[in-house]
Amino acid sequence: MTIDLRSDTVTTPTPEMLEAMFSAKVGDDVFDEDETVKALEAHCAQLFGMEAGLFCPSGTMTNQIALKALTRPYEEVICYEGAHIYLYEGGGIAGNSGLSTCLLSGNRGILSLEDIAEKVHPDNIHFPKTALVALENTVNKGGGSYYSWQEMAAISEFCQAEGLYRHLDGARIFNAMVATGSSPKELGQYFDTISICLSKGLGAPIGSVLLSSHTLKKQTKRIRKHMGGGMRQAGYLAAAGHYALEHHIDRLSEDHRRAKEIGDCLQGLPYVEEVLDPQTNIVIFKLAKGIGTARFLEAAAAQGILAVPFGKEHIRFVTHLDFTEEMLTRTREILPALSFTE
């Protein structure tokens, strides 16, 4: 049995999702003729109480389109120092948009209003103009940590007062919603753009949607074209995303429970120095001195568990749709049995 905990992107479509894909009505989306893509975009926008959606191949693309649409070169974006838009999108902030970055540490990646307010530049030609605050929810590098709606509302109100745009990288936003019991419609009012991912946790094979206003959508669609993101009969993919939204959100609580059980299992093991309390579906733990990530990953893989290194001496596990109760039981048997004695 192979237990793949590298990411919640490793899932494959369920038979029911495949059926929805094969039966989708499609057309050429570059010509605005794919009914299934249009339906998905409208559904996502309505879900979050926003005006428009734009279907794209990846969350990296939706994030980068949003940054470019909301800013001009030489301006600055404030974000977490471990944010996906900064660490894992190939330098796109600089390359695509010509932006400076102001990086904040935050508490497990959760930025406070006070920290943000302190970093907004005055109107001075020596400084890049602060233009945008970008939040991530849940926070990948924070071990699936999430904002409260009160925290996001306060940051949003401050940004509006200061004339700053607001972007949310909501790659795992549904995990945050399940954890807090909040509704997506409440969220839309706090941001100018929101990126939601359909292939993280929800089980779709590909696809993200960028939410914005009707006015901004025309610009974001042009930028998508620049980036090569115009797809043709994309309705087959959009149908998978639509199915995921209809059927795979509520079950995310199962992923959270299983991540918590893995975290509890890791506590006190001789090769583990520290475990970040799993708040959603991500488990991050620090190895004891001298173990090394390569050594741990090799030993785990030999027992059928796949994971990824996540910084110096850190390992990440991510639970997901294809990680079953049987796999959880087996994982809880394997982890305590791993030995790294010389």
Side-chain angles (χ1 to χ4, degrees), residues 2-22:
T2 298
I3 301 170
D4 197 340
L5 292 169
R6 291 173 298 169
S7 177
D8 46 2
T9 61
V10 300
T11 57
T12 55
T14 63
E16 296 81 7
M17 182 180 286
L18 284 172
E19 183 179 349
M21 294 170 70
F22 289 139

Side-chain angles (χ1 to χ4, degrees), residues 107-124:
N107 176 21
R108 290 185 60 169
I110 303 299
L111 306 184
S112 72
L113 174 57
E114 293 72 23
D115 288 343
I116 292 171
E118 185 179 329
K119 294 298 183 179
V120 176
H121 288 307
D123 186 7
N124 185 311

Side-chain angles (χ1 to χ4, degrees), residues 224-242:
R224 185 184 71 175
K225 181 65 174 176
H226 295 169
M227 293 183 174
M231 297 184 285
R232 300 299 179 175
Q233 289 72 32
Y236 296 116
L237 304 176
H242 196 92

Side-chain angles (χ1 to χ4, degrees), residues 17 20-21 35-44 46 55 198 202 204-206 209 235-249:
M17 182 180 286
M21 294 170 70
E35 295 181 23
T36 306
V37 170
K38 287 183 177 181
L40 174 66
E41 293 172 339
H43 176 70
C44 290
Q46 183 180 32
F55 185 55
L198 304 169
L202 298 185
I206 189 173
V209 178
Y236 296 116
L237 304 176
H242 196 92
Y243 183 90
L245 290 171
E246 292 289 329
H247 298 279
H248 291 165
I249 293 177

Side-chain angles (χ1 to χ4, degrees), residues 92-169:
I93 291 177
N96 294 319
S97 301
L99 297 175
S100 294
T101 50
C102 176
L103 304 176
L104 305 181
S105 57
N107 176 21
R108 290 185 60 169
I110 303 299
L111 306 184
S112 72
L113 174 57
E114 293 72 23
D115 288 343
I116 292 171
E118 185 179 329
K119 294 298 183 179
V120 176
H121 288 307
D123 186 7
N124 185 311
I125 62 171
H126 295 89
F127 305 127
K129 178 185 176 184
T130 306
L132 172 68
V133 173
L135 306 183
E136 184 177 326
N137 201 30
T138 64
V139 185
N140 180 25
K141 290 288 283 187
S145 56
Y146 52 84
Y147 287 85
S148 71
W149 304 114
Q150 293 83 358
E151 288 170 322
M152 287 191 291
I155 292 171
S156 173
E157 183 178 351
F158 170 80
C159 290
Q160 287 183 299
E162 294 292 321
L164 306 177
Y165 288 111
R166 306 152 297 165
H167 173 64
L168 177 66
D169 176 1

